[in-house]
Amino acid sequence: MSTITYRLGSSDHLGVRPLQPDGTVPDLTGASIQLRIDNGGICVPLDGTADGDAFFIDLSGLDMPPRVYRAAIWFDWGDGWNHGGDLLLNIEGGC
C-alpha cells in the first residue's frame, strides 16, 4: 500500500492518473473521483476534479490531527462508485 505525505497548511493537491489495463489513460469526461479518509470510523470524503488526463484532489482544507490515516480512492465512470485502491495518508503538522 502506498503512503502519501501531506503537511497541514500546504497548498498541495493529490494528483491521480488512472490507467486502463493496456496502460492508456481513459477519457475522464463526466467521470468523478473521491478520496475517502477513514477518521476513526468516520468517512471524510474529498471530491476531486478532472484536468487533462488526471484528477486532482485539493487537500488544503483538511483539518485533521497529524497521524497516518487509511484512505481509499473511488471513481464514478457514470455507472456508480467503484473502489479504485487504498493508500495511507500521512498528515504531518508543524511548519
Side-chain angles (χ1 to χ4, degrees):
M1 186 177 322
S2 297
T3 300
I4 306 294
T5 299
Y6 171 73
R7 183 171 299 281
L8 287 172
S10 167
S11 61
D12 292 341
H13 288 75
L14 173 62
V16 178
R17 187 171 178 235
L19 296 178
Q20 298 182 97
D22 65 0
T24 61
V25 177
D27 180 10
L28 303 183
T29 304
S32 301
I33 189 171
Q34 264 189 352
L35 175 66
R36 298 179 183 179
I37 305 167
D38 180 0
N39 186 9
I42 298 171
C43 180
V44 178
L46 296 175
D47 293 323
T49 56
D51 186 6
D53 64 353
F55 289 105
F56 294 92
I57 301 167
D58 184 3
L59 302 177
S60 65
L62 280 178
D63 185 19
M64 298 170 71
R67 69 177 185 89
V68 177
Y69 296 87
R70 289 187 154 284
I73 298 286
W74 286 78
F75 296 103
D76 183 351
W77 301 104
D79 58 353
W81 290 104
N82 297 288
H83 182 244
D86 296 316
L87 59 98
L88 297 174
L89 181 61
N90 179 22
I91 298 179
E92 296 180 337
C95 52

